[in-house]
Amino acid sequence: MTKISALRARNLNIPLDRVTSLSSRRVNERHYGVVELMGDDGHRGIGFCYVGSAGGGLFTEAVEGLLAPLLIGEDPYRVEGLWAAMYQEALLQGRAGTVLRAISALDNAIWDRNARAANLPLYKYLGAYTDRVPAYASGGYYIEGKTPAALAEEMASYVAAGYTAVKMKIGKLDVAAEEARIAAVRERIGPDIHLMLDANNAWSDLPTALRFARMYQKYDPYFIEEPFSPDDIGNHARLAAATSVPIATGEIEVGRWRFAELMARSGAIILQTDACVCGGITEFRRIAATAASLGITVLPHWFHDLHAHLVASTPNARYVEFFPDDQVLNFRRVVGTQIEVHQGHIEMSQRPGVGFDFNAAALDRYATAPWAQTGRASELAA
């Protein structure tokens, strides 16, 4: 029987080239966690997650001090059992946030290892639905000096590259200023391009959100994303009932139970479930299956290198969120083999597993500490 023989974790701090703003916060650096896991059959898997703009060391501690001892010596094909053991062990330390993100990274590494051992790309190991998935271009951030015309030019450049769907940030400015931004974009890209709007928890009360939603409505947005805090499911549901604009959320939501409540209360008709946040591929598949039974669409958040595989193996998933450069999703700087988009679509790679390994030199450049290792560390160092 194959056993997990070694595991190591590391946290990264990757500065942004330019300070970038969302509706309610500014970001000048991003902290990530990465893991590598080895079976005694010689096959390796990798996992990763975004921790936030600080606190990356929490990830390594969660892996090394809490979760790794549960995995060493275990059968990597016992995926459900290992997930349950990690979740149970972490009940007191964190059923959300960094600890669950560490579980997600480890779960994803196990799936990746198993797919590589089978010599299959991850999406085929999971059960392929398609070999070609549509991508939308994600951008439109607030940067000092960026005018509505410059924003419109950015969105138009994605359309010129072949994307039929684009996303921009909203919610930082007043209604008039926000309308100037979206009006410029819609005029520039035309009526047939799907225009997605990301509020990043911009509003805290329903009347304010309604003012903005009713203004946006005439520009035919594909959805408004995260209008409220993820915990405010009630206002998500009330806004969804009060506007014809589809509501999307779930990028920092966790676990099948929270997603079940969100769906039961009609808080969103588009889920942006992130397998690096929600509990890993194991939990993502449960959430997506429940959504499918209710006619709800899944558009995963971030990390297109992983989520392309999940969209390609999930019948009710529609788009991969794709970042055309490494300025915001700067994790791309440690990805050894980059996904390419042609005419708004990703042709799925046939390389085993997730289809890439970490760039070792980039990891060393951005790591804040050496690898934290458990098990036969020499196997991973080879």
Side-chain angles (χ1 to χ4, degrees):
M1 180 185 75
T2 303
K3 294 183 179 180
I4 298 170
S5 57
L7 190 157
R8 62 182 181 176
R10 208 171 193 184
N11 56 281
L12 313 176
N13 177 357
I14 307 181
L16 271 66
D17 293 338
R18 293 182 295 180
V19 175
T20 301
S21 294
L22 292 70
S23 62
S24 57
R25 59 187 182 274
R26 287 160 53 90
V27 180
N28 57 21
E29 64 184 26
R30 293 195 182 278
H31 291 222
Y32 301 96
V34 297
V35 296
E36 292 187 351
L37 178 147
M38 178 69 80
D40 61 7
D41 59 358
H43 291 289
R44 174 195 319 243
I46 64 173
F48 46 89
C49 72
Y50 176 49
V51 177
S53 55
L58 296 172
F59 173 86
T60 305
E61 175 58 29
V63 173
E64 182 185 26
L66 185 65
L67 302 170
L70 303 174
L71 301 181
I72 299 298
E74 293 294 325
D75 180 355
Y77 295 104
R78 199 170 66 85
V79 178
E80 292 281 356
L82 297 179
W83 192 96
M86 288 191 289
Y87 187 80
Q88 182 65 34
E89 184 70 13
L91 283 178
L92 299 183
Q93 289 84 1
R95 300 189 299 278
T98 302
V99 175
L100 194 60
R101 293 180 185 219
I103 291 175
S104 301
L106 290 166
D107 181 75
N108 295 344
I110 292 168
W111 280 101
D112 179 43
R113 195 222 75 89
N114 293 348
R116 293 183 195 228
N119 198 32
L120 288 172
L122 179 60
Y123 81 102
K124 286 188 174 179
Y125 186 76
L126 294 169
Y129 178 71
T130 182
D131 297 312
R132 184 172 184 262
V133 297
Y136 70 84
S138 193
Y141 284 77
Y142 296 94
I143 295 175
E144 187 174 351
K146 183 189 283 187
T147 64
L151 172 63
E153 182 59 32
E154 177 191 347
M155 296 291 110
S157 72
Y158 302 145
V159 175
Y163 293 93
T164 59
V166 297
K167 187 166 82 175
M168 58 179 274
K169 297 297 182 181
I170 63 169
K172 182 178 177 64
L173 309 176
D174 62 28
V175 172
E178 291 291 356
E179 182 162 16
R181 295 173 76 248
I182 192 173
V185 170
R186 178 53 84 190
E187 180 179 9
R188 189 76 169 78
I189 66 175
D192 299 326
I193 300 299
H194 287 156
L195 178 56
M196 304 161 176
L197 309 179
D198 187 357
N200 289 113
N201 327 116
W203 307 301
S204 59
D205 64 279
L206 186 60
T208 299
L210 275 171
R211 272 190 81 212
F212 281 91
R214 287 168 178 159
M215 177 272 288
Y216 287 127
Q217 192 168 302
K218 60 189 173 187
Y219 297 99
D220 190 27
Y222 191 72
F223 61 67
I224 292 179
E225 174 182 343
E226 279 200 314
F228 303 103
S229 162
D231 295 318
D232 195 353
I233 294 174
N235 265 334
H236 277 91
R238 284 186 282 273
L239 182 62
T243 178
S244 63
V245 179
I247 301 301
T249 194
E251 70 176 57
I252 53 177
E253 193 53 275
V254 295
R256 77 198 86 144
W257 301 282
R258 287 275 299 180
F259 275 97
E261 181 182 359
L262 182 62
M263 288 183 270
R265 296 177 65 180
S266 300
I269 62 170
I270 296 171
L271 300 183
Q272 296 171 304
T273 316
D274 187 331
C276 299
V277 173
C278 72
I281 293 169
T282 300
E283 196 74 342
F284 179 98
R285 284 158 62 86
R286 297 177 182 133
I287 294 162
T290 301
S293 70
L294 298 172
I296 294 174
T297 300
V298 178
L299 273 68
H301 162 256
W302 263 49
F303 290 120
H304 50 253
D305 305 282
L306 171 64
H307 288 129
H309 290 276
L310 298 184
V311 172
S313 57
T314 304
N316 59 318
R318 294 290 176 267
Y319 279 104
V320 174
E321 181 176 19
F322 190 85
F323 289 80
D325 59 42
D326 65 1
Q327 293 302 293
V328 176
L329 181 55
N330 56 8
F331 185 78
R332 294 189 66 176
R333 300 177 190 181
V334 303
V335 173
T337 304
Q338 299 288 333
I339 283 180
E340 296 182 359
V341 176
H342 299 286
Q343 291 303 306
H345 285 78
I346 295 169
E347 301 286 346
M348 294 303 298
S349 166
Q350 299 307 301
R351 292 185 294 270
V354 292
F356 75 92
D357 289 301
F358 297 131
N359 180 317
L363 286 186
D364 288 341
R365 176 183 177 186
Y366 295 116
T368 61
W371 287 100
Q373 303 185 343
T374 306
R376 300 174 189 169
S378 60
E379 295 184 14
L380 283 163

